[in-house]
């Protein structure tokens, strides 16, 4: 039997293996709960991932006297699922072929091509994975939210957020 409270307390001290044990113990069940709430596999996976990230970050706030550790984990998951459901109205899901018809890819390519071949920003953008580059350009050139990008690229929201974040970090490093 897993001692969830001890694992959460270990997370609060920075023990990464404790988080892995929590994920192994509860990840599958949490995915099932999230899938039932969200009715979408990609959103459910995002919800579980983000729940474990929050668990790691907020483990120091867990108080055994206020409730069970398992209840605390599932409350985090429930709140994350509800947030994703509220935000789902803002997502636009499109077939990748529709993206071409709307011309977004053409606009992004044209904007990228207008950068001078020797321009530092272009050189740094060329080092990014195509997905990261497309997500960043969609955000900054077309003004799309992460949810809109996820819908247009047919990718999980958490992945798009990670692509943008990691891409921007890599750009910042490259440009400095």
């Amino acid at each position: 039997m897993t001692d969830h409270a001890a694992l959460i307390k270990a997370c609060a001290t920075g023990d990464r293996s404790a988080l892995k044990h929590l994920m192994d113990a509860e990840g599958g069940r949490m995915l099932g709960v999230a899938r039932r709430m969200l009715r979408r596999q990609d959103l459910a996976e995002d919800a579980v991932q983000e729940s474990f990230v929050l668990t790691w970050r907020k483990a120091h706030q867990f108080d055994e006297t206020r409730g069970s550790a398992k209840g605390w984990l599932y409350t985090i998951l429930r709140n994350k699922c509800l947030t994703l459901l509220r935000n789902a109205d803002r997502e636009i899901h499109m077939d990748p072929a529709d993206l071409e018809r709307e011309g977004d890819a053409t606009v992004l390519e044209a904007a990228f091509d207008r950068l001078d071949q020797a321009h530092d920003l272009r050189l740094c953008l060329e080092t990014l994975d195509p997905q990261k580059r497309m997500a960043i350009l969609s955000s900054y050139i077309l003004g799309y939210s992460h949810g809109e990008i996820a819908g247009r690229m047919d990718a999980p929201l958490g992945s798009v957020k990670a692509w943008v974040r990691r891409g921007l970090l890599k750009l910042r490093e490259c440009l400095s």
Side-chain angles (χ1 to χ4, degrees):
M1 178 143 175
T2 306
D3 185 358
H4 292 80
L7 290 173
I8 292 171
K9 289 177 185 177
C11 286
T13 65
D15 183 358
R16 290 177 188 219
S17 65
L19 182 64
K20 179 166 179 3
H21 287 300
L22 270 176
M23 290 170 68
D24 291 343
E26 292 302 320
R29 280 186 288 275
M30 289 174 76
L31 183 60
V33 169
R35 205 177 3 223
R36 281 190 297 278
M37 287 183 74
L38 299 168
R39 294 187 171 93
R40 278 186 45 198
Q41 179 70 25
D42 59 333
L43 287 180
E45 290 171 1
D46 286 344
V48 172
Q49 177 184 357
E50 291 179 28
S51 295
F52 279 117
V53 169
L54 281 172
T55 298
W56 177 258
R57 289 183 182 157
K58 297 184 182 269
H60 66 281
Q61 295 176 354
F62 171 67
D63 183 1
E64 236 177 329
T65 62
R66 297 183 70 203
S68 74
K70 213 172 186 179
W72 188 75
L73 285 173
Y74 283 89
T75 299
I76 291 172
L77 176 66
R78 177 186 172 277
N79 291 339
K80 183 50 65 182
C81 287
L82 291 175
T83 299
L84 288 173
L85 283 172
R86 276 192 301 272
N87 293 339
D89 294 339
R90 298 181 203 150
E91 280 189 41
I92 299 171
H93 298 282
M94 294 178 63
D95 186 24
D98 292 340
L99 180 64
E100 289 299 323
R101 279 194 295 268
E102 288 200 11
D104 289 347
T106 306
V107 170
L108 294 177
E109 287 172 20
F112 183 71
D113 289 340
R114 279 193 297 253
L115 286 172
D116 182 37
Q117 292 289 339
H119 194 277
D120 289 344
L121 179 58
R122 181 185 179 109
L123 295 174
C124 291
L125 281 169
E126 287 174 343
T127 66
L128 296 178
D129 297 333
Q131 291 172 320
K132 289 179 186 173
R133 182 172 49 244
M134 179 69 99
I136 289 170
L137 292 175
S138 295
S139 178
Y140 285 91
I141 293 173
L142 300 174
Y144 290 150
S145 68
H146 289 128
E148 290 171 324
I149 296 167
R152 290 173 184 274
M153 294 180 73
D154 194 27
L157 179 61
S159 297
V160 170
K161 288 179 179 181
W163 293 340
V164 171
R165 183 179 174 278
R166 291 180 188 135
L168 289 175
L169 289 172
K170 194 168 180 182
L171 282 177
R172 182 181 303 149
E173 181 181 305
C174 178
L175 290 169
S176 63

